[in-house]
């Protein structure tokens, strides 16, 4: 469990004594911050099936450097102002650390969310991989900034280790003393086992945004990420003094991340039975809007129910598609020579666009990430048809006619799971041409289980982590993305198949290697459909056009999962 000491805020109240005299006194009313709550998954995790590698063992060998993921902490110092929601941040040390292992740096988290984090500690199994820093530099102190904690009245000091030549520092040391930390407090790592990092997200600063000059604390991640990248996140933070004159593009960061030199062995990745157990625990529950008409289906169902393959120059003679897609062209460039479309017969077309929710199947891509210290399970969902959009202009909703419609729609949810212990740490939800990462405490879970709950938007199928309206655009003008809980539900764990895994021998279905479009190219520009809504919006139309994404004016038939940038890369 996490070891924390609650940060209390007090309010002053007047209170009468029992004799009836009005005597001013202090009544302490405790106000807990979100970080005083420790996040835990709703349901205890099972014992994972056995394997021959490091998965679930608590340790991973990076090639002479053995690392352990520590999720328990002792609080070092906290600040109760600045940062997100002006609630401050708290700095921790990993504790306890296993015998023979050493700290690489402290952990920091904003106070506006439950405590849920980790850092890596390391053990040198071959010698000369780890060394003490030769000195420390003071990055920042609350004493110099007059920015102390108003409750505890203490000061915090953030120290930068100075590594010996040929070594790099991976994190900072935080103290409540102006004295430099002991040199053996932290370890630096030999450069060949490190990689470059980049800023990920803002954690805390003296203002309420990262734009304020002065001390700013960020979480960091490897600069190169993807299924072939060796960079390993350490879980530490980067602290630096920033100003308006900084050129971020050319600024060299003072820290590094780790590198997995045993990456190619995939020894830390889950085996097939472990993957199945993980997906049983976390498989998403997708809720559709009660008015949704365009539901998902399996790919095989779509092919078996009349989907057609078109070839350029032979548009009058489309081909039926084998249920397993075996007659689709394989690989090759997306050159516009082939595309898929709905059945020609109107009844068959109407059936196809409605999908087949009851027998839908989802498709899993198992990906090593962050140097194979985590596993991403990308869950792909196929929809035969994407419905039209609706514009919102203040209080007025205007249907977009056919704008936004296209044949063939792929969306996905990605589960990021620690290979140290099988814990779900993040969830990615795809939204049109982008998406959002969510930390596990931000996620809704289904009825006390660890199954992730997400919501598919009406017609467009963008995925969100909570019901309601999300406006794609700016201000109160844009495209509606409506989500709601209903009886239309897809339990992804009931019918799925693993179509690709970097660490396993998987026979991919033929349709996965179809690299062309899953629908015909439609082009609206500012044609008839747009003119229909232009008259409805009158003078406000130009304002609406400026904030709408380009995708509503035309849509090339979308490509399949393997053609997406996140197939081999990271989600963002």
């Amino acid at each position: 469990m996490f070891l924390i000491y609650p940060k209390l805020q007090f309010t002053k109240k007047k209170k009468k004594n029992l004799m009836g005299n009005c005597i001013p006194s202090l009544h302490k009313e405790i106000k807990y911050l979100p970080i005083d709550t420790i996040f835990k998954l709703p349901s205890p995790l099972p014992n994972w099936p056995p394997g021959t590698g490091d998965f679930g063992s608590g340790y991973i060998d990076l090639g002479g450097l053995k690392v352990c993921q520590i999720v328990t902490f002792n609080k070092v110092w906290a600040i109760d102002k600045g940062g997100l929601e002006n609630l401050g941040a708290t700095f921790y040390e990993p504790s306890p650390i296993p015998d023979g292992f050493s700290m690489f740096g402290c952990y920091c988290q904003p106070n506006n969310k439950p405590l849920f984090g980790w850092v890596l500690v390391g053990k040198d199994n071959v010698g000369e991989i780890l060394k003490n820093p030769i000195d420390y530099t003071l990055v920042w102190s609350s004493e110099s900034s007059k920015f102390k904690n108003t409750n505890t009245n203490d000061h915090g000091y953030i120290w930068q280790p100075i590594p010996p030549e040929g070594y790099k520092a991976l994190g900072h040391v935080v103290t409540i003393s102006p004295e430099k930390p002991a040199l053996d407090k932290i370890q630096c790592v030999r450069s060949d086992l490190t990689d470059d990092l980049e800023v990920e997200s803002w954690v805390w600063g003296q203002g309420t945004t990262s734009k304020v000059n002065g001390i700013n604390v960020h979480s960091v991640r490897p600069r190169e990420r993807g299924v072939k990248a060796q960079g390993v996140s350490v879980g530490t933070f980067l602290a630096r003094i920033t100003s308006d004159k900084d050129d971020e593009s050319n600024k060299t960061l003072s820290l590094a991340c780790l590198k997995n030199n045993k990456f190619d062995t995939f020894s830390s990745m889950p085996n097939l039975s472990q993957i199945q157990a993980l997906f049983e625990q976390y498989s998403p529950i997708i809720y559709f809007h009660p008015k949704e008409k365009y539901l998902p289906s399996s790919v095989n169902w779509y092919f078996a129910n009349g989907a057609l393959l078109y070839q350029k120059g032979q548009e009058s003679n489309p081909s039926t598609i084998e249920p397993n897609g075996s007659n689709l062209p394989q690989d090759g460039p997306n050159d516009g020579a082939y595309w898929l479309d709905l059945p020609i017969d109107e009844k068959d077309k109407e059936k196809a666009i409605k999908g087949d929710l009851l027998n839908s199947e989802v498709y899993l891509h198992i990906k090593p990430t962050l140097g194979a210290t985590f596993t991403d399970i990308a869950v792909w969902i196929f929809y035969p048809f994407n419905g039209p959009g609706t514009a919102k202009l203040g209080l007025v909703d205007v249907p977009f006619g056919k704008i936004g419609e296209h044949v063939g729609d792929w969306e996905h949810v990605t589960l990021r799971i620690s290979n140290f212990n099988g814990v779900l740490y993040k969830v990615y939800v795809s939204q049109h041409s982008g998406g959002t990462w969510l930390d596990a405490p931000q996620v809704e879970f289904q009825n006390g289980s660890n199954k992730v709950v997400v919501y598919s938007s009406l017609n467009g199928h963008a995925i969100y982590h909570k019901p309601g309206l999300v406006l794609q655009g700016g201000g109160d003008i844009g495209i509606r993305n409506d989500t709601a809980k209903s009886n239309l539900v897809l339990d992804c764990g009931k019918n799925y198949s693993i179509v690709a895994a970097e660490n396993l021998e998987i026979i991919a279905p033929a349709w996965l290697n179809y690299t062309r479009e899953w629908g015909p190219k439609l082009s609206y520009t500012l044609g008839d459909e747009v003119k229909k809504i232009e008259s409805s919006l009158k003078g406000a139309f130009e304002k609406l056009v400026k904030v709408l994404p380009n995708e509503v004016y035309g849509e090339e038939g979308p490509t399949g999962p393997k053609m997406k940038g996140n197939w081999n890369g990271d989600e963002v």
Side-chain angles (χ1 to χ4, degrees):
M1 62 181 291
F2 291 90
L3 303 176
I4 61 172
Y5 302 86
K7 298 165 289 306
L8 308 181
Q9 294 183 346
F10 303 100
T11 57
K12 295 181 180 180
K13 289 186 177 181
K14 290 184 178 180
K15 182 180 179 182
K16 290 183 178 181
N17 68 7
L18 295 177
M19 301 298 294
N21 297 324
C22 285
I23 301 174
S25 64
L26 292 179
H27 173 69
K28 296 182 178 179
E29 182 179 276
I30 298 175
K31 180 182 179 182
Y32 289 96
L33 293 169
I35 200 169
D36 296 318
T37 301
I38 303 168
F39 175 79
K40 294 182 179 179
L41 290 167
S43 179
L45 294 179
N47 293 321
W48 305 116
T52 58
D54 290 335
F55 177 82
S57 69
Y59 303 91
I60 293 176
D61 183 2
L62 303 181
L65 177 63
K66 190 174 185 179
V67 291
C68 177
Q69 188 181 53
I70 304 297
V71 298
T72 55
F73 301 95
N74 284 332
K75 188 184 80 168
V76 179
W77 182 72
I79 185 68
D80 56 4
K81 61 177 69 68
L84 298 168
E85 300 179 44
N86 202 29
L87 290 180
T90 304
F91 297 81
Y92 300 91
E93 286 184 358
S95 178
I97 296 175
D99 289 343
F101 284 76
S102 302
M103 186 173 83
F104 294 133
C106 290
Y107 173 72
C108 179
Q109 185 181 301
N111 291 334
N112 72 330
K113 58 184 179 180
L115 181 58
F116 184 63
W118 56 270
V119 293
L120 299 187
V121 296
K123 180 180 181 181
D124 187 345
N125 279 342
V126 298
E128 299 298 314
I129 288 179
L130 302 181
K131 282 190 177 181
N132 294 340
I134 58 176
D135 201 356
Y136 292 93
T137 298
L138 182 63
V139 177
W140 176 84
S141 77
S142 60
E143 183 177 9
S144 62
S145 69
K146 310 298 183 184
F147 206 60
K148 64 184 178 182
N149 188 312
T150 56
N151 288 329
T152 60
N153 212 36
D154 57 10
H155 286 290
Y157 303 81
I158 302 176
W159 302 91
Q160 168 74 37
I162 301 176
E165 185 176 355
Y167 289 76
K168 293 186 178 180
L170 307 183
H172 299 289
V173 178
V174 179
T175 68
I176 54 173
S177 166
E179 301 296 325
K180 289 183 179 181
L183 292 179
D184 61 357
K185 177 72 175 178
I186 197 171
Q187 292 288 283
C188 301
V189 180
R190 200 172 65 204
S191 297
D192 62 304
L193 269 165
T194 68
D195 213 341
D196 293 335
L197 52 70
E198 68 178 15
V199 165
E200 181 178 22
S201 60
W202 186 60
V203 175
W204 176 78
Q206 291 175 245
T208 55
T209 73
S210 60
K211 303 296 185 183
V212 177
N213 293 337
I215 183 66
N216 278 294
V217 173
H218 289 87
S219 63
V220 288
R221 63 187 180 188
R223 181 173 297 168
E224 298 295 328
R225 298 179 308 283
V227 298
K228 303 297 183 184
Q230 297 175 256
V232 173
S233 283
V234 184
T236 53
F237 64 88
L238 173 71
R240 54 185 179 167
I241 306 298
T242 59
S243 72
D244 293 334
K245 298 180 180 179
D246 289 339
D247 182 355
E248 293 297 323
S249 62
N250 294 320
K251 191 167 185 177
T252 301
L253 301 184
S254 59
L255 302 176
C257 64
L258 287 170
K259 179 191 289 185
N260 186 356
N261 282 348
K262 286 186 65 178
F263 176 83
D264 291 342
T265 68
F266 295 120
S267 58
S268 58
M269 292 288 289
N271 61 28
L272 181 59
S273 61
Q274 291 165 342
I275 290 167
Q276 292 167 337
L278 290 168
F279 198 61
E280 181 180 339
Q281 275 293 305
Y282 304 124
S283 54
I285 306 293
I286 303 177
Y287 282 96
F288 299 94
H289 195 278
K291 295 182 180 180
E292 183 62 71
K293 299 177 182 178
Y294 311 107
L295 293 164
S297 77
S298 70
V299 171
N300 289 23
W301 178 90
Y302 180 54
F303 292 165
N305 281 272
L308 297 171
L309 172 66
Y310 283 80
Q311 184 174 1
K312 189 175 182 179
Q314 301 182 33
E315 288 84 352
S316 62
N317 188 29
S319 303
T320 58
I321 304 171
E322 294 295 325
N324 61 2
S326 59
N327 63 326
L328 292 173
Q330 299 289 287
D331 299 314
N334 182 21
D335 52 11
Y338 296 92
W339 64 91
L340 306 187
D341 206 347
L342 297 166
I344 296 173
D345 180 82
E346 287 300 322
K347 288 186 178 180
D348 291 342
K349 181 184 294 186
E350 185 66 19
K351 179 181 179 181
I353 67 174
K354 290 180 179 178
D356 180 33
L357 180 60
L358 184 62
N359 298 299
S360 289
E361 182 178 13
V362 299
Y363 306 99
L364 309 187
H365 179 201
I366 312 303
K367 303 163 52 180
T369 192
L370 300 177
T373 56
F374 284 78
T375 293
D376 279 2
I377 301 180
V379 185
W380 289 92
I381 309 104
F382 174 71
Y383 301 80
F385 195 76
N386 189 92
T390 298
K392 176 174 171 54
L393 180 62
L395 299 176
V396 179
D397 289 339
V398 181
F400 257 14
K402 293 184 178 181
I403 295 178
E405 289 185 352
H406 60 82
V407 177
D409 187 23
W410 284 99
E411 303 291 346
H412 71 285
V413 178
T414 297
L415 310 172
R416 179 157 290 179
I417 298 165
S418 169
N419 289 342
F420 291 94
N421 49 29
V423 171
L424 174 73
Y425 274 94
K426 287 179 178 289
V427 176
Y428 181 85
V429 288
S430 64
Q431 297 155 357
H432 305 293
S433 57
T436 303
W437 274 114
L438 306 164
D439 292 330
Q442 298 174 274
V443 174
E444 178 184 346
F445 294 92
Q446 180 82 347
N447 299 330
S449 73
N450 294 331
K451 291 182 177 291
V452 172
V453 173
V454 294
Y455 298 84
S456 176
S457 67
L458 178 62
N459 292 350
H461 308 141
I463 300 176
Y464 297 93
H465 69 291
K466 58 185 178 181
L469 168 64
V470 175
L471 203 59
Q472 187 182 4
D476 60 351
I477 296 175
I479 297 178
R480 294 186 65 100
N481 289 275
D482 292 280
T483 60
K485 194 165 283 189
S486 76
N487 293 326
L488 300 173
V489 185
L490 176 60
D491 183 344
C492 295
K494 287 188 174 180
N495 192 15
Y496 69 90
S497 60
I498 300 173
V499 297
E502 305 302 320
N503 62 315
L504 302 175
E505 292 185 5
I506 300 294
I507 299 176
W511 57 259
L512 186 64
N513 294 319
Y514 169 71
T515 57
R516 275 75 170 193
E517 280 131 3
W518 285 69
K521 181 177 180 180
L522 304 176
S523 182
Y524 302 112
T525 62
L526 292 179
D528 294 340
E529 294 297 327
V530 176
K531 290 179 180 178
K532 290 177 185 177
I533 64 169
E534 183 177 5
S535 60
S536 301
L537 299 178
K538 297 181 180 178
F541 178 72
E542 291 184 3
K543 185 177 180 182
L544 175 63
V545 168
K546 290 180 181 178
V547 299
L548 295 182
N550 292 333
E551 64 198 63
V552 304
Y553 296 115
E555 181 71 45
E556 291 207 18
T559 52
K562 203 171 182 179
M563 296 296 289
K564 310 298 185 186
N566 52 32
W567 185 264
N568 290 313
D570 201 1
E571 299 290 356
V572 291

